[in-house]
Amino acid sequence: MKLPRRFFQPLATGAPAPFRELPVRLERMIHFVPPHNDKVRARVPELAGTVDVVLGNLEDAVPADQKEAARKGFVAMAQATDFAATGTGLWTRINALNSPWILDDLFTLVAEVGAKLDVVMVPKVEGPWDIHYIDQLLAQLEARHGIAKPILVHAILETAEGVANVDAIASASPRMHGMSLGPADLAASRGMKTTRVGGGHPDYRVLSDPAGDAPRATAQQDLWHYTIAKMVDACMANGLKAFYGPFGDFSDGAACEAQFRNAFLMGCAGAWTLHPSQVAIAKRVFAPDPAEVAFAARIVAAMPDGTGAVMLDGKMQDDATWKQAKVIVDLAKLVAAKDPELAAVYQLG
């Protein structure tokens, strides 16, 4: 374990110093793009202005014989678009650490577009040792290629071992950006009896107690509630961001919205979007309700320094509710800056 005073030292001579705080960015949706698909890649310049994060996916969904094409496509995509000008993050999901493609992914991308790359998403992270490896390698590559800004790391929780080690993963490096739930691989790792990618399951439910001859009420439950809560706690305790991962049923927008909203209420900053139809859902869900923003703004205005207690509409507000209100107001300001049409709705000064 590193000593505290050495935690923020670069891991290679000439590498940039790690961030002390994460950059303030709006990341309601991480929109996945297959870089080996020329037709989809051609739409990225237009897409960049409509989403918060564009992620070039090099791992799952890319056939083995298309890995090199995906890598080259990502480089071309990054070079062709000024993502910073639109306030859009540029991420990539590299191949797993036990794959034959991981080194070529990092060596190529950092050399060619490292200065534009914000976050590297690492699949199937099982413990802090995985983060330590990526941390050291990225520092060496940043130093070699003169990258002035550190590339952040985002871990996907998609194995039982990774979930068991979630706290150690979150605190493994100052390079950590956040974590995402990977429900499909996690379900397989746990031996769960579902083939769904995210969302609930009709057989995972609770049944009310018998009440005479009346029909017993039943309600479907959320398979992922425990994991999301555990991930959110680990992330928030370490100043990171938590994200819901993929929702695989593109035809069921209502269920996707319900799952995204549950994650939002539990503390997630955003979710993956795999289909254009999910972008609008993420924008709607991961932006605070205007009425909530208005009330939160009143709390912040009534307690400018966050101390004391006031009464608003017959309800007591104190330092704890001020902190809640500040989270909502700060998020609304980020949303309004990215989506001008919401600035008027939120009416924030």
Side-chain angles (χ1 to χ4, degrees):
M1 180 176 177
K2 290 184 192 176
L3 294 173
R5 69 170 62 94
R6 298 186 61 193
F7 190 70
F8 288 98
Q9 289 181 356
L11 294 183
T13 303
F19 290 120
R20 294 281 177 150
E21 299 286 344
L22 285 181
V24 177
R25 292 173 179 156
L26 189 63
E27 293 163 337
R28 294 166 296 178
M29 77 292 297
I30 305 167
H31 192 68
F32 275 56
V33 171
H36 63 294
N37 187 316
D38 294 340
K39 190 174 294 186
V40 174
R41 196 173 69 245
R43 296 198 291 268
V44 167
E46 180 182 356
L47 172 72
T50 65
V51 299
D52 298 336
V53 174
V54 171
L55 180 144
N57 183 24
L58 307 182
E59 197 219 7
D60 290 352
V62 177
D65 62 356
Q66 293 293 304
K67 295 293 186 181
E68 185 175 355
R71 199 179 298 124
K72 291 179 178 178
F74 181 81
V75 170
M77 182 180 87
Q79 292 175 337
T81 303
D82 187 353
F83 291 93
T86 59
T88 305
L90 177 64
W91 296 22
T92 186
R93 179 168 72 168
I94 58 175
N95 285 284
L97 299 184
N98 63 352
S99 77
W101 305 292
I102 167 67
L103 289 178
D104 285 336
D105 288 346
L106 289 177
F107 277 60
T108 300
L109 300 190
V110 177
E112 299 290 335
V113 293
K116 301 187 72 171
L117 187 57
D118 295 305
V119 177
V120 168
M121 182 181 279
V122 184
K124 302 172 182 65
V125 173
E126 301 211 303
W129 50 86
D130 290 335
I131 302 301
H132 295 160
Y133 172 77
I134 289 291
D135 193 6
Q136 183 76 70
L137 183 55
L138 281 174
Q140 292 168 329
L141 293 173
E142 288 167 344
R144 170 183 284 185
H145 299 290
I147 306 301
K149 179 188 68 170
I151 299 168
L152 296 175
V153 171
H154 185 102
I156 313 178
L157 292 181
E158 45 191 344
T159 70
E161 187 173 5
V163 175
N165 292 322
V166 65
D167 293 308
I169 293 169
S171 61
S173 166
R175 200 184 286 274
M176 284 295 295
H177 164 275
M179 299 186 194
S180 288
L181 170 71
D185 281 289
L186 181 54
S189 174
R190 282 176 168 166
M192 296 169 67
K193 312 307 184 286
T194 177
T195 57
R196 298 182 174 209
V197 179
H201 193 286
D203 294 332
Y204 191 71
R205 55 180 58 245
V206 293
L207 189 66
S208 67
D209 291 340
D213 295 328
R216 298 174 68 177
T218 182
Q220 183 173 317
Q221 301 295 290
D222 186 355
L223 285 167
W224 307 109
H225 184 87
Y226 158 79
T227 308
I228 292 173
K230 190 171 184 180
M231 177 181 68
V232 168
D233 282 346
C235 285
M236 296 304 172
N238 288 279
L240 312 182
K241 293 184 177 183
F243 292 79
Y244 190 82
F247 187 88
D249 188 353
F250 304 151
S251 67
D252 194 347
C256 177
E257 181 159 350
Q259 196 71 50
F260 282 8
R261 192 168 299 282
N262 289 346
F264 172 68
L265 290 172
M266 290 181 69
C268 287
W272 298 9
T273 52
L274 308 183
H275 188 272
S277 64
Q278 296 179 337
V279 172
I281 296 173
K283 282 189 175 183
R284 186 163 59 246
V285 169
F286 291 99
D289 179 83
E292 288 275 355
V293 174
F295 188 67
R298 288 177 61 199
I299 295 174
V300 172
M303 303 170 59
D305 63 355
T307 64
V310 298
M311 295 294 293
L312 290 178
D313 300 340
K315 298 177 183 178
M316 189 191 79
Q317 312 298 331
D318 58 12
D319 63 324
T321 51
W322 182 89
K323 292 173 185 174
Q324 293 175 292
K326 190 73 164 52
V327 169
I328 293 173
V329 170
D330 288 348
L331 176 59
K333 288 179 179 178
L334 286 175
V335 171
K338 178 75 174 183
D339 297 327
E341 67 273 14
L342 288 175
V345 175
Y346 287 149
Q347 297 181 344
L348 294 170

